[in-house]
């Protein structure tokens, strides 16, 4: 849902309208499929995965149906995509496989990309950027400079939201000797880095407004979501409950869509 929401946010910013096309449906089903596998498969040593495995065991039929439906949906809508988008998705799929499913060749001991500390955070930001910007707009009439801004904004936004998740995983990462950013620089500095990135995003939106023609209301709506995100990150401590990350931090993507959708009904500035 979050991936679809931030994609629709860009649609509104560009076209001032929402199009539930094949790209959107593919993003929905493929994201659901990928995250279902990442959460429900993997090592039992990882506490986060163990929690999801426990839920899957208690809701066996539901979890299997969820995987099946998302797989069927992803395959069906994949074949509706344009050829160049299919190639992009295939490359992205191979990249994702090395993140959570396939061990990197020639490394001993065997490791996946997600076991390389800060690299996993950058990976998530890259994948989400390509999935929610390149896939839906590759064959559109979006100007190159606008596409560049959208990619930069998406990468930094997802990066800023993902960095605090390393605080949530600190105990598990410490136990498995995964040298993450939060273990290197501490909780306070990790939060500060995420907030600096969000402040940088606010500056980028202001520059877009003055020099690249985005609307005032759109700029204010997106920046409002960044300000709320800064406040939400500030609340985080090492003992903060998982629900704060999954419902509040992830919810910032939904909040951004709601704000951008709402301001399109304001009088033109």
């Amino acid at each position: 849902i979050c991936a679809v929401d931030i994609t629709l946010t860009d649609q509104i910013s560009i076209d001032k309208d929402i199009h539930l096309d094949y790209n959107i449906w593919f993003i929905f089903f493929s994201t659901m499929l990928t995250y279902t596998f990442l959460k429900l498969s993997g090592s039992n040593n990882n506490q986060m995965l163990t929690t999801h495995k426990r839920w899957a065991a208690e809701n066996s039929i539901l979890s299997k149906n969820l995987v099946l439906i998302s797989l069927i949906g992803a395959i069906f809508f994949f074949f509706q995509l344009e050829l160049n988008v299919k190639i992009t998705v295939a490359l992205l799929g191979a990249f994702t496989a090395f993140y959570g499913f396939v061990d990197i060749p020639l490394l001993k001991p065997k490791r996946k990309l997600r076991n390389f500390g800060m690299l996993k955070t950058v990976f998530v930001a890259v994948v989400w950027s390509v999935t929610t910007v390149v896939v839906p707009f590759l064959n559109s009439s979006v100007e190159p400079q606008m596409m560049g801004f959208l990619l930069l904004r998406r990468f930094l936004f997802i990066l800023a939201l993902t960095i605090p998740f390393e605080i949530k995983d600190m105990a598990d990462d410490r136990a498995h000797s995964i040298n993450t950013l939060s273990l290197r620089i501490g909780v306070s500095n990790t939060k500060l880095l995420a907030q600096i990135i969000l402040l940088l995003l606010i500056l980028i939106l202001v520059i877009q407004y003055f020099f690249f023609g985005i609307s005032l209301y759109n700029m204010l709506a997106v920046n409002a979501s960044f300000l709320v995100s800064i406040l939400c990150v500030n609340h985080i401590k090492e003992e903060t409950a998982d629900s704060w990350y999954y419902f509040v931090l992830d919810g910032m993507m939904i909040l951004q869509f709601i704000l951008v959708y709402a301001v399109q009904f304001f009088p033109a500035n």
Side-chain angles (χ1 to χ4, degrees), residues 9 11 30 43 66 73 83 105 129 155 200 220 232 248 259:
T9 299
Q11 282 190 354
S30 62
S43 171
L66 185 62
L83 178 60
S129 301
F155 174 79
L200 176 61
L220 292 175
C232 292
V248 178
L259 293 174

Side-chain angles (χ1 to χ4, degrees), residues 15-266:
D15 298 328
K16 304 189 185 312
D17 200 3
I18 289 175
H19 315 285
L20 294 178
D21 53 20
Y22 291 140
N23 294 315
I24 295 295
W25 286 110
F26 174 76
I27 290 170
F28 173 76
F29 284 111
S30 62
T31 304
M32 182 167 65
L33 176 64
T34 301
Y35 272 82
T36 300
F37 267 99
L38 285 174
K39 302 302 184 184
L40 302 183
S41 64
S43 171
N44 284 323
N45 292 328
N46 187 295
Q47 183 60 41
M48 182 179 70
L49 294 177
T50 301
T51 301
H52 288 279
K53 278 178 171 289
R54 186 182 304 114
W55 179 90
E58 295 171 353
N59 302 272
S60 177
I61 295 177
L62 178 59
S63 59
K64 290 177 181 177
N65 286 338
L66 185 62
V67 171
L68 179 61
I69 291 170
S70 58
L71 177 62
I72 293 173
I75 291 174
F76 174 80
F77 287 106
F78 173 81
F79 285 105
Q80 314 307 314
L81 303 176
E82 298 290 338
L83 178 60
N84 56 349
V85 179
K86 288 179 182 176
I87 294 172
T88 301
V89 169
L91 293 174
L92 196 62
F95 191 34
T96 302
F98 283 106
Y99 173 72
F101 304 113
V102 179
D103 292 321
I104 300 174
L106 305 179
L107 284 185
K108 292 184 180 182
K110 294 181 178 180
R111 304 181 76 184
K112 300 176 178 64
L113 278 175
R114 70 188 304 168
N115 300 130
F116 284 87
M118 184 62 185
L119 185 60
K120 67 180 181 180
T121 303
V122 174
F123 169 86
V124 171
V126 169
V127 170
W128 273 69
S129 301
V130 175
T131 301
T132 61
V133 177
V134 176
V135 170
F137 300 113
L138 186 60
N139 292 315
S140 69
S141 58
V142 179
E143 295 181 0
Q145 65 181 24
M146 184 62 172
M147 181 71 84
F149 269 114
L150 291 177
L151 274 170
L152 178 62
R153 284 166 42 182
R154 185 58 35 76
F155 174 79
L156 292 176
F157 186 41
I158 299 301
L159 187 66
L161 294 182
T162 307
I163 284 174
F165 273 76
E166 295 198 359
I167 299 172
K168 178 183 73 67
D169 298 333
M170 280 181 70
D172 189 71
D173 290 335
R174 188 183 293 114
H176 293 90
S177 301
I178 301 175
N179 195 15
T180 60
L181 184 69
S182 57
L183 290 175
R184 289 182 179 181
I185 67 175
V187 172
S188 296
N189 288 331
T190 301
K191 290 162 52 177
L192 179 61
L193 177 60
Q195 291 170 321
I196 289 173
I197 293 173
L198 289 165
L199 288 172
L200 176 61
L201 276 165
I202 291 174
L203 176 61
I204 290 172
L205 262 292
V206 172
I207 292 173
Q208 270 196 282
Y209 169 68
F210 282 108
F211 298 102
F212 296 96
I214 66 171
S215 74
L216 174 63
Y217 293 134
N218 184 278
M219 183 268 289
L220 292 175
V222 176
N223 277 348
S225 73
F226 294 154
L227 288 172
V228 176
S229 299
I230 289 172
L231 296 175
C232 292
V233 169
N234 194 60
H235 173 81
I236 293 173
K237 300 178 178 63
E238 187 172 352
E239 61 272 16
T240 298
D242 288 1
S243 57
W244 185 266
Y245 295 91
Y246 292 123
F247 292 104
V248 178
L249 274 191
D250 279 351
M252 292 302 99
M253 290 180 272
I254 299 174
L255 174 65
Q256 186 173 116
F257 167 71
I258 292 173
L259 293 174
V260 170
Y261 181 77
V263 298
Q264 70 173 329
F265 299 105
F266 287 14

